[in-house]
Amino acid sequence: MADVKKLYIKTYGCQMNVYDSERMAEAMGGAGYVTTEDAAEADMILLNTCHIREKAAEKVYSELGRFRALKEEKPDLKIGVAGCVAQAEGQEIMRRQPLVDLVVGPQSYHRLPQMEARVREGEKALDTDFPLDDKFDTLRQRPKAKRGPTAFLTVQEGCDKFCAFCVVPYTRGAEASRPAARVLEEARDLVERGVREITLLGQNVNAYHGAGEGGDWSLARLIWALNDIDGLERIRFTTSHPNDMDDDLIAAHGECAKLMPYLHLPVQSGSDRILKRMNRSHTDESYLRLIERIRAARPDILISGDFIVGFPEETEEDFQATMDLIEAVNYGYAFSFKYSTRPGTPAAERPQVAEDVKSERLQRLQALITRQQRAAQDAMVGRTVGVLFEKPGRMAGQMVGKSDYLHAVHVTDDRVQPGDLAQVEILESGPNSLSGRLVSV
Ligand code: SAH
Ligand code: SF4
Ligand code: F3S
């Protein structure tokens, strides 16, 4: 029998890393590895890391320290660091943590099998080169395993926007889009394997401009082409930049039946002074106008956002402007963070806001967001919404899925299976989810 080795992957950070971890598992599948959920039985451990905030990066080192005992027990165990910390810190990781055998960046992981062969020989392997070859192309020959009902599909990588706080342009590199035909091919393949909802991913997904028939395609054009795939029922995309919401994409939200009424559109701050210092190239006003236009196209759309509090030189007045913007938009969901100093980014050098001030502002902002989120969820009670069921719930007979608006919904009904898209009348709004009754399967 062939020697089957086990691979344990732990994923941090954004959805793009989730997608990348799946691709790494596939690449390593070609080298005789199957994945395991249990680090203790692994022959190789890969941490797919995130560098976005200081805490995220530090987590990697504390996690690595925890593998020391495992490695002592099992000297053949190989430990690798992938993802954005790998890209940002490279060789430094092996210096700081000698347990690490392999460091691979987010644009190089299709070369993992060759790196694995080298570490098996007792070498250390480092690859953080930006692509000379296309990682997606090399990964086309993958097994046709059955998939769950939802999947991510990366269509765009990297970022050229250089917001003053952000590491992404450095860890992921310059903006690049995959050719439309390749994306459609991967989407069809996913649908054949059981996928009914695809979330298109990119650090700036709405800046998509992949080569296609008749010239570069926009994200809107790509969505319309996906809309024609039989068996694909739902399309989402994330994350978008306000400046790249073009007219066609806004219109698609009103006209494209499979495009779900949920849009993640980070604004970061509501103060023009801070937005300028952040190098965001949009204003409070232009963002609010944009939201108006999106809502005119799709009145029930649920808007979500990202906020940073305590960006260098943020005053109480600037913070109030952010709170006013949140009041004006009325978000259905949001992520909010204290500004975290990232070495090498422009904002790292500027006068910092005190930690306790950041904490206090974050608390106020999150209280407001929580109220809005709660209200948006409660407003679903009495409505009938589409739900794509994903898996059994915690209670016997329960199935859970996501509504069109991305709320978690559970029903107790033995007529539904994972992968079913059903109409559900929402009856109750709980702390983190909705519950309802099946109207039709
Ligand atoms: N490309 C996306 C998101 C990138 S990172 C966009 O432009 O919207 C996800 C979120 O992390 C950002 O929207 C921002 O709110 C937050 N973030 C990024 N860098 C940060 C930092 N240095 N400190 C705190 N939050 C940060
Ligand atoms: Fe980072 Fe700004 Fe690019 Fe988003 S748009 S990835 S926040 S630099
Ligand atoms: Fe983190 Fe890299 Fe994503 S820094 S948020 S894993 S792009």
Side-chain angles (χ1 to χ4, degrees), residues 275-292:
L275 286 170
K276 203 165 171 134
R277 283 170 161 73
M278 286 178 163
N279 192 29
R280 285 291 292 185
S281 60
H282 56 77
T283 62
D284 164 80
E285 189 58 27
S286 69
Y287 181 81
L288 291 173
R289 283 286 103 75
L290 178 60
I291 298 286
E292 268 171 26

Side-chain angles (χ1 to χ4, degrees), residues 103-166:
V103 172
V104 62
Q107 308 299 357
S108 334
Y109 57 70
H110 53 295
R111 295 190 286 262
L112 261 173
Q114 293 92 303
M115 297 176 77
E116 192 268 351
R118 283 171 49 206
V119 298
R120 284 284 153 224
E121 297 298 316
E123 287 176 44
K124 299 252 176 189
L126 170 81
D127 188 345
T128 51
D129 290 341
F130 274 15
L132 304 165
D133 43 4
D134 177 358
K135 70 178 180 191
F136 299 107
D137 213 27
T138 340
L139 292 173
R140 278 170 95 188
Q141 302 303 328
R142 53 174 176 245
K144 304 277 175 201
K146 187 99 185 111
R147 297 278 313 235
T150 65
F152 293 133
L153 201 177
T154 294
V155 301
Q156 181 275 340
E157 280 262 3
C159 181
D160 294 338
K161 296 223 163 35
F162 291 93
C163 298
F165 49 82
C166 183

